[in-house]
Amino acid sequence: MELKRVVVTGLGALTPLGNDVETTWANAVKGESGAGPITHFDASKFKTQFACEVKDFDPAAHFDRKQARTLDLYAMYALVAANEAINDAKLDDENLDKNRIGVIFAAGIGGLHTFEEEAGYFALHGQEQGPKYNPYFIPKMISDIAAGHISIEHQFRGPNYGTVSACASSNSALIDAFNLVRLGMADAIVTGGAEAAIFPAGVGGFNSMKALSTRNEDPKSASRPFSGSRDGFVMGEGAAALVLEELEHAKARGAHIYAEVAGGGMSADAFHITATHPDGLGAKLVMENALKDAEMKPEDIDYVNLHGTSTPIGDIGEIQAIKDVFGKHAYDMNLSSTKSMTGHLLGAAGAAEAVLSIKAMNDGIVPPTINHEEGDNDPEIDYNLNFTFNKAQKRDINAVLSNTFGFGGHNAAIIFKKYKD
């Protein structure tokens, strides 16, 4: 069976750096930090009191009051980003066969805020009142519901589901979408991820694991991947979406093509429920799998958007894996972690980083890894590698690889390359 070529024809983003793709990209190039004091709740008694929140988001600008009652914040983010990508791709066209257009949308956690509210209400009042739950409780909370809402709004009746692989969730969604389109099971798929977990349960839960930075005195500098003084990740939120489309279908309707999807890889660390393998064995395997699927050599990759969360252990293992996979070429590539600016969007991270990676390839600019100070080095990290510290760098990028690794040892990596007819 001959596999079909798959291209990207639409982009959408709602992130801590901006409420659309262009604003997000412009701020990433400038090296802006999306971090600041938490506003979603009073975090004054928490060990971590800051995060990378979406700014100036007004649900009323996107949803009527009745619809808003049925949506958790994570699903709102998903719909806004997906609608931008769909409009960008001009996919909402009555002349298209919507039985052949699908939606695969990820969330690592899903409707955490809804769960927190409903469970909290029952804990306070349940003994007196008995079970009294909002009828929208379950359909607001479940992590697949964003895909359902996007499908319903646009009448896309192709493959429809959500993926959950912790922080690798949206890369898993992208790879699933890529595979279904290249197998001929859909003409196009709207894919990506969304997350909105900056609430007491999310921050408190990650704090209890000692996973989050506690640099409360200077939030904007807290996410500092590959620096010696890194002390944990900064939680982010938002959504990003891509339209993946079969090449001939895209050409027939005159769609703008941003990039071609070259291949994707998956692997497991099989090591620990939360810690990545210290030698980067799963990270090494997932990049090798992606290169094999893309039928590309390590030397074909110009830029790697690293998982790079700013955790003491995780950053070391990923860099070891980079050196193992790319060998001498590792020193010729650009590396960067855009999480230094966006924070860690959890289940939406892969999609947001895919959008930034494609923009980097299209514009010939590598976004930076910010917050590295001279001399703030980790003896276990090789600083002869080009981490694109603090300032964006111009570079002709023909192919980019984007890594995501999640709790449970889930790894997913995807490769995009310049489209050539």
Side-chain angles (χ1 to χ4, degrees):
M1 177 182 179
E2 185 178 352
L3 296 176
K4 299 177 182 297
R5 293 173 66 184
V6 182
V7 293
V8 180
T9 57
L11 301 174
L14 177 65
T15 76
L17 297 183
N19 292 5
D20 54 38
V21 169
E22 292 307 320
T23 307
T24 294
W25 173 239
N27 285 325
V29 171
K30 288 189 288 186
E32 296 286 338
S33 169
I38 290 171
T39 65
H40 289 334
F41 69 96
D42 181 2
S44 59
K45 295 183 179 179
F46 285 71
K47 292 179 181 177
T48 296
Q49 298 164 12
F50 62 93
C52 288
E53 294 179 337
V54 170
K55 317 295 191 298
D56 303 318
F57 179 74
D58 180 9
H62 303 280
F63 311 102
D64 62 39
R65 188 175 178 182
K66 182 179 179 181
Q67 187 181 18
R69 290 177 56 204
T70 71
L71 297 170
D72 183 86
L73 185 60
Y74 103 92
M76 291 185 183
Y77 289 166
L79 277 161
V80 171
N83 287 343
E84 183 183 5
I86 291 164
N87 291 334
D88 185 34
K90 299 179 174 59
L91 199 65
D92 210 357
D93 182 342
E94 293 304 320
N95 294 316
L96 298 178
D97 183 358
K98 295 193 175 184
N99 293 337
R100 300 269 308 164
I101 301 175
V103 183
I104 303 175
F105 226 81
I109 299 173
L112 181 65
H113 187 218
T114 294
F115 181 84
E116 188 176 73
E117 284 188 324
E118 294 293 323
Y121 184 88
F122 179 75
L124 288 173
H125 306 291
Q127 296 303 316
E128 303 89 41
Q129 297 182 359
K132 187 177 181 182
Y133 287 95
N134 186 323
Y136 292 115
F137 171 33
I138 299 300
K140 285 176 69 175
M141 177 196 72
I142 52 179
S143 60
D144 67 304
I145 204 66
H149 280 294
I150 296 164
S151 167
I152 292 166
E153 181 164 324
H154 297 281
Q155 291 297 288
F156 296 152
R157 293 180 288 272
N160 183 270
Y161 58 92
T163 57
V164 179
S165 50
C167 303
S169 294
S170 52
N171 257 8
S172 298
L174 294 177
I175 293 169
D176 276 11
F178 168 54
N179 284 328
L180 290 180
V181 173
R182 70 172 168 171
L183 287 169
M185 298 177 70
D187 293 330
I189 293 181
V190 181
T191 185
E195 207 78 89
I198 305 174
F199 293 101
V203 176
F206 281 116
N207 264 159
S208 70
M209 297 169 58
K210 299 181 179 179
L212 297 181
S213 170
T214 56
R215 196 181 286 263
N216 294 310
E217 70 282 0
D218 189 11
K220 289 189 178 298
S221 73
S223 185
R224 46 181 55 214
F226 312 108
S227 290
S229 60
R230 65 192 185 281
D231 68 332
F233 75 83
V234 177
M235 192 182 295
E237 64 172 0
L242 299 86
V243 173
L244 303 193
E245 189 169 352
E246 192 272 321
L247 174 59
E248 297 305 322
H249 187 269
K251 288 167 63 176
R253 65 186 193 88
H256 173 72
I257 296 174
Y258 286 98
E260 182 168 359
V261 187
M266 298 182 184
S267 76
D269 278 7
F271 172 71
H272 190 273
I273 57 171
T274 56
T276 56
H277 196 287
D279 297 326
L281 295 187
K284 176 177 181 287
L285 181 59
V286 78
M287 288 186 280
E288 290 174 340
N289 289 344
L291 287 165
K292 182 179 179 180
D293 186 51
E295 298 182 344
M296 297 173 75
K297 302 186 297 293
E299 294 76 18
D300 295 327
I301 303 299
D302 299 303
Y303 166 47
V304 179
N305 193 326
L306 299 164
H307 182 63
T309 59
S310 191
T311 58
I313 296 175
D315 287 6
I316 294 171
E318 185 174 13
I319 293 309
Q320 183 59 53
I322 289 284
K323 293 174 70 174
D324 288 344
V325 171
F326 292 95
K328 292 181 180 179
H329 181 63
Y331 299 91
D332 297 326
M333 301 188 301
N334 274 80
L335 312 174
S336 77
S337 171
T338 51
K339 288 185 182 71
S340 61
M341 297 175 284
T342 66
H344 192 350
L345 273 63
L346 308 177
E353 288 153 23
V355 169
L356 291 171
S357 296
I358 291 168
K359 291 294 291 182
M361 187 164 57
N362 284 186
D363 289 5
I365 302 174
V366 179
T369 305
I370 66 169
N371 295 325
H372 183 72
E373 299 168 5
E374 187 174 352
D376 183 14
N377 293 345
D378 183 330
E380 296 191 62
I381 291 177
D382 184 351
Y383 292 97
N384 291 311
L385 297 166
N386 183 0
F387 288 98
T388 322
F389 280 134
N390 298 324
K391 187 177 180 180
Q393 294 178 12
K394 291 184 178 180
R395 176 171 187 149
D396 186 20
I397 303 169
N398 290 301
V400 55
L401 182 150
S402 181
N403 280 333
T404 53
F405 314 139
F407 285 177
H410 314 305
N411 306 310
I414 192 164
I415 298 173
F416 299 98
K417 64 183 181 181
K418 282 185 177 178
Y419 165 67
K420 296 178 182 177
D421 195 358

